[in-house]
Amino acid sequence: MKHNARNLTNQEFFYGHKACGGCGESLAVRLTMKILGDRTFAALPAGCMSAVSFIYPNMAFTTNAIITPFASTGAVAAGMSAGLRALGIEDTHTVGFAGDGGTADIGLQALSGAIDRNDDIIYICNDNEAYMNTGIQKSGLTPYGTKTTTSPAGDNLPGSVTMKKNMFEIVAAHDIAYAATASVGYLDDLMAKIEKCKNTKGTSYLHIFAPCPTGWGHESNITIDLAKQAVDSGLIYLAEYENGEFKLNKNPKEFASVEDYLKVQGRFKHLKDSDIEVIKAHRDKKWAKMRKNWL
Ligand SMILES: Cc1ncc(C[n+]2csc(CCOP(=O)(O)OP(=O)(O)O)c2C)c(N)n1
Ligand code: SF4
Ligand SMILES: [Mg+2]
């Protein structure tokens, strides 16, 4: 089914949580749950989404959901899926919702194992580009030039000096059944990809770009605009890996301004022109490769 704002269910499966206003991750979780439905079993490691949704005696999920040890989202989700199968409980979905830190760094091994076994799970990485729940530390998905509490900016440092790990291609290299990147700025595309994950037998992976007003230092009412701008400026790309092939879903003729995207975020306020050139050069190199091989 093709989902859109008109036909999306009014039923809520994730509400009453304590996320900050304008939180991109909570939007991603809410939307995913609406598409997966009430027979969904969710596994969440330590991170903002578990912290804001399991506050005793309230739970923001109306369905079964559990907090996992930080490193083991892939393993716990795989166990839940196997348990459901062993009990003969059918027509269910098992989903893991982990952050960028919980995916690209500490949870990478458990995710890799689940894909290797082709466990029947959906793995969602909510990428807000830092360890937000513990006070904005740099993760493997924090981009170059980002100021965080562990990648300070100053006269001799531009903030983070590393580029984002390419999680999408790391996952695809496992020859996974289905993987995609998405952004909360492009909701129709995001919903279509959640639906594809839902219909995939075996492991599927969705990498969702999700701005965080608190950690990024931007106004809470521009979350969606920023998530769009990241894609339009080419810093984030929308792509799929399916049947062993990469596909670029959006190929802008011209990129929107990188400067406009960066300047409204406190985490990038310190950047010099030369730092912005590094960011653009990295983007251009990546796009040249993708355009050559993924179109
Ligand atoms: C083994 C372990 N190490 C560290 C922590 C502390 N910790 C809890 S949440 C968190 C940050 C999570 O960041 P991320 O996965 O990016 O999710 P976000 O909070 O940004 O949504 C950390 C470091 C922990 N709970 N367990
Ligand atoms: S700190 Fe960021 S990711 Fe965490 S709840 Fe607030 S807006 Fe969402
Ligand atoms: Mg994070």
Side-chain angles (χ1 to χ4, degrees), residues 110-181:
L111 169 61
S112 178
I115 305 172
D116 182 44
R117 295 183 300 269
N118 201 22
D119 288 318
D120 194 16
I121 63 167
I122 299 162
Y123 189 106
I124 298 207
C125 172
N126 281 316
D127 184 6
N128 57 18
E129 304 194 319
Y131 291 85
M132 294 307 179
N133 183 233
T134 37
I136 322 172
Q137 293 87 23
K138 181 206 170 318
S139 80
L141 292 181
T142 301
Y144 179 89
T146 310
K147 182 176 167 188
T148 70
T149 51
T150 52
S151 58
D155 287 345
N156 300 312
L157 271 180
S160 171
V161 292
T162 55
M163 303 290 174
K164 278 170 90 78
K165 278 187 202 176
N166 196 334
M167 262 316 292
F168 170 61
E169 285 177 67
I170 291 171
V171 163
H174 291 68
D175 204 15
I176 190 171
Y178 177 74
T181 63

